[in-house]
C-alpha cells in the first residue's frame, strides 16, 4: 500500500515501511492508470528459459502453476496450514494414516521387524495413546505388508536400485538427471501407500523417458505400487517405449522433447495444466467426463476440495470457475498433450 511509504499516514512522522521490494510495488501501484485493468491480462518481461534438469522438469509437470509463480515471477504463496490442536487425539486423519503407513512400509522394505516398527510408532508419539491407536496401526501395517508383497512379486526389491546419472540432448540442449533404478531388470520402482495419483504417474513416466533416451539398449519400464480401491493394491506399469533399441531411442527422444517443450512454454506464460483435473478429463468415460471432472475441479457442496481452489490456480486462472469454462479454454488441448503420451504406454491392474 502506498500509505505505508507516505510520511505521517500511519501515525509516525516519517514513512512506516522500509522494505525496498514493497516500496517498488507501492510506486508501481500509485502509477497505475484507471484504464490499465482494461488493457489486457498479465504482461511479463521476456523470460529466459533454461533447459531444465530432470528434477525441475518433473517438478513443473506435477505443479505447473505453482512452479511458474515461483520460478518465473519469483512469488511464493505460503500454506498457512491447520490451526494447532491441543486436544487429545482419538484417531488418525487421512494424512496421518498415510504417514504411518509410509513409515511402516519403508521399515519393512529395509528388513525391520513389524513388531519393532509398531513399537517405534507408539514410542514416537505419532499415534493416539494406548488402545486408541491399535485399529489405525493394524490397518496401516496391513496395507504396508500387502503393498510390500505385491512390489516384491513384481521385482521391486529393496537394495536392487542404484543411482543412474547422465545427460541427454534435446533440441541441441543438455538435460541432466539422476534416476534410482535397477539396471539389470531395466526397472524403475515407485512403491508407496498413496493411491495412484497423477503426480506419481508423471514422475515415473518422465524417468522412464529420460533413462530410455540415455540408454535405449535397455527396455526401461516403471512400476508403481500403491493403495487401490477398497482392499486392493494398485499396480501401474509404464513402458517400455518400443521393442527395439532403435524404436525406443526414437520414441524417447520425441517424448522428452515434448515434455521439455511444455516446460519451456509454461515458464514463459502460465498454462492451464491442472494435473489431477486433466488426468480425470483424459481418463473418464466420455459420457461421464463432465461430472467426473467437476468433482475434481470444483469444490463440493460444503465448499471443500476442488483443484481450482489451490492458491496458484486462483491467482492465475480466476476466470476458470466451472467445467464449462475449462471446456472452452485451452485446457483440453494441454490435457491431451500431457496425458495422451503417458496413457499410451501405461497399463494398470488391482491385486
Amino acid at each position: 500500500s502506498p500509505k505505508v511509504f507516505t510520511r505521517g499516514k500511519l501515525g509516525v512522522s516519517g514513512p512506516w515501511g522500509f522494505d525496498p521490494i514493497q516500496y517498488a510495488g507501492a510506486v508501481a501501484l500509485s502509477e497505475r492508470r484507471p484504464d490499465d485493468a482494461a488493457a489486457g491480462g498479465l504482461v511479463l518481461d521476456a523470460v529466459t528459459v533454461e533447459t531444465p534438469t530432470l528434477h525441475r522438469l518433473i517438478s513443473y509437470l506435477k505443479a505447473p502453476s505453482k512452479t511458474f509463480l515461483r520460478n518465473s515471477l519469483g512469488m511464493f504463496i505460503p500454506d498457512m496450514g491447520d490451526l494447532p490442536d491441543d486436544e487429545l487425539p482419538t484417531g488418525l486423519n487421512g494424512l496421518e494414516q498415510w504417514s504411518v503407513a509410509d513409515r511402516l512400509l519403508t521399515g519393512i522394505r529395509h528388513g525391520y521387524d513389524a513388531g519393532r516398527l509398531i513399537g517405534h510408532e507408539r514410542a514416537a508419539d505419532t499415534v493416539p495413546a494406548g488402545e486408541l491407536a491399535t485399529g489405525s496401526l493394524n490397518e496401516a501395517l496391513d496395507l504396508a505388508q500387502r503393498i510390500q508383497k505385491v512390489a516384491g512379486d513384481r521385482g521391486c526389491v529393496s537394495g536392487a536400485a542404484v543411482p543412474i546419472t547422465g545427460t541427454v540432448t534435446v533440441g541441441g540442449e543438455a538435460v541432466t538427471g539422476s534416476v534410482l533404478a535397477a539396471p539389470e531388470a531395466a526397472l524403475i520402482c515407485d512403491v508407496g501407500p498413496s493411491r495412484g495419483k497423477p503426480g506419481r504417474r508423471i514422475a515415473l513416466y518422465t524417468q522412464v523417458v529420460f533413462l530410455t533416451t540415455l540408454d535405449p539398449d535397455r527396455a526401461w519400464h516403471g512400476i508403481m505400487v500403491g493403495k487401490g480401491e477398497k482392499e486392493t493394491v494398485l499396480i501401474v506399469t509404464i513402458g517400455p517405449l518400443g521393442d527395439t533399441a532403435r524404436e525406443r531411442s526414437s520414441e524417447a527422444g520425441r517424448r522428452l522433447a515434448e515434455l521439455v517443450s511444455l516446460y519451456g512454454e509454461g515458464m514463459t506464460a502460465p498454462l492451464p495444466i491442472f494435473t489431477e483435473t486433466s488426468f480425470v478429463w483424459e481418463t473418464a468415460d466420455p459420457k461421464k467426463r463432465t461430472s467426473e471432472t467437476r468433482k475434481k475441479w470444483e469444490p463440493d457442496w460444503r465448499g471443500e476440495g476442488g483443484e481450482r481452489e489451490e492458491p496458484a490456480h486462483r491467482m492465475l486462472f480466476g476466470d476458470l470457475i466451472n467445467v464449462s469454462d475449462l471446456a472452452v479454454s485451452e485446457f483440453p488441448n494441454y490435457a491431451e498433450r500431457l496425458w495422451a503420451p503417458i496413457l499410451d504406454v501405461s497399463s494398470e491392474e488391482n491385486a
Side-chain angles (χ1 to χ4, degrees), residues 199-263:
R200 292 181 68 186
R201 298 171 190 251
I202 288 172
L204 188 59
Y205 170 76
T206 308
Q207 291 174 329
V208 169
V209 170
F210 178 81
L211 283 190
T212 305
T213 307
L214 183 67
D215 179 14
D217 289 331
R218 300 179 191 271
W220 291 103
H221 60 291
I223 293 179
M224 182 181 74
V225 185
K227 184 178 181 180
E229 297 296 330
K230 298 181 179 179
E231 298 300 316
T232 65
V233 173
L234 174 68
I235 308 106
V236 176
T237 302
I238 298 179
L241 303 183
D243 298 325
T244 66
R246 184 173 182 176
E247 182 181 350
R248 290 191 291 268
S249 178
S250 175
E251 275 294 300
R254 179 180 64 82
R255 290 167 182 268
L256 186 58
E258 173 60 12
L259 295 176
V260 171
S261 177
L262 278 173
Y263 174 89

Side-chain angles (χ1 to χ4, degrees), residues 145-169:
Q145 290 175 328
R146 286 189 288 114
I147 289 176
Q148 168 63 5
K149 182 180 185 308
V150 172
D153 292 343
R154 298 305 174 104
C156 293
V157 181
S158 180
V162 297
I164 301 176
T165 302
T167 300
V168 298
T169 302

Side-chain angles (χ1 to χ4, degrees), residues 23-308:
Y23 174 74
V27 171
L29 186 61
S30 64
E31 294 176 348
R32 186 181 177 95
R33 300 187 304 272
D35 58 343
D36 283 348
L42 180 66
V43 178
L44 302 176
D45 293 333
V47 177
T48 301
V49 181
E50 299 179 354
T51 303
T53 62
L54 178 64
H55 173 73
R56 289 180 180 176
L57 180 59
I58 292 174
S59 296
Y60 171 76
L61 295 171
K62 291 172 67 174
S65 296
K66 185 184 296 185
T67 306
F68 170 79
L69 285 176
R70 182 175 61 247
N71 293 359
S72 295
L73 298 188
M75 296 179 61
F76 175 74
I77 304 176
D79 181 4
M80 303 307 293
D82 298 326
L83 294 174
D85 186 357
D86 58 0
E87 295 182 357
L88 179 66
T90 58
L92 299 177
N93 61 32
L95 179 59
E96 292 167 340
Q97 185 80 0
W98 173 87
S99 298
V100 172
D102 186 54
R103 290 192 293 270
L104 292 176
L105 178 58
T106 300
I108 291 171
R109 288 181 60 77
H110 283 83
Y112 289 98
D113 176 72
R116 292 184 61 186
L117 293 172
I118 292 292
H120 182 271
E121 288 294 325
R122 290 185 180 277
D125 196 29
T126 58
V127 295
E131 290 303 312
L132 292 174
T134 300
S136 297
L137 284 172
N138 288 341
E139 290 179 13
L141 179 60
D142 175 66
L143 175 61
Q145 290 175 328
R146 286 189 288 114
I147 289 176
Q148 168 63 5
K149 182 180 185 308
V150 172
D153 292 343
R154 298 305 174 104
C156 293
V157 181
S158 180
V162 297
I164 301 176
T165 302
T167 300
V168 298
T169 302
V170 180
E173 301 289 341
V175 178
T176 300
S178 182
V179 179
L180 197 63
E184 294 301 319
L187 178 62
I188 308 166
C189 289
D190 175 4
V191 180
S194 302
R195 296 188 183 274
K197 288 198 170 183
R200 292 181 68 186
R201 298 171 190 251
I202 288 172
L204 188 59
Y205 170 76
T206 308
Q207 291 174 329
V208 169
V209 170
F210 178 81
L211 283 190
T212 305
T213 307
L214 183 67
D215 179 14
D217 289 331
R218 300 179 191 271
W220 291 103
H221 60 291
I223 293 179
M224 182 181 74
V225 185
K227 184 178 181 180
E229 297 296 330
K230 298 181 179 179
E231 298 300 316
T232 65
V233 173
L234 174 68
I235 308 106
V236 176
T237 302
I238 298 179
L241 303 183
D243 298 325
T244 66
R246 184 173 182 176
E247 182 181 350
R248 290 191 291 268
S249 178
S250 175
E251 275 294 300
R254 179 180 64 82
R255 290 167 182 268
L256 186 58
E258 173 60 12
L259 295 176
V260 171
S261 177
L262 278 173
Y263 174 89
E265 293 175 37
M267 287 293 95
T268 305
L271 303 181
I273 305 176
F274 313 117
T275 307
E276 297 198 7
T277 302
S278 60
F279 175 74
V280 173
W281 177 272
E282 284 295 303
T283 57
D285 184 321
K287 296 180 180 178
K288 301 179 180 179
R289 169 177 279 177
T290 298
S291 60
E292 292 299 316
T293 303
R294 180 178 294 112
K295 294 176 185 177
K296 182 59 64 177
W297 180 245
E298 301 175 24
D300 61 20
W301 61 274
R302 296 169 296 185
E304 299 177 356
E307 195 175 16
R308 82 171 191 202

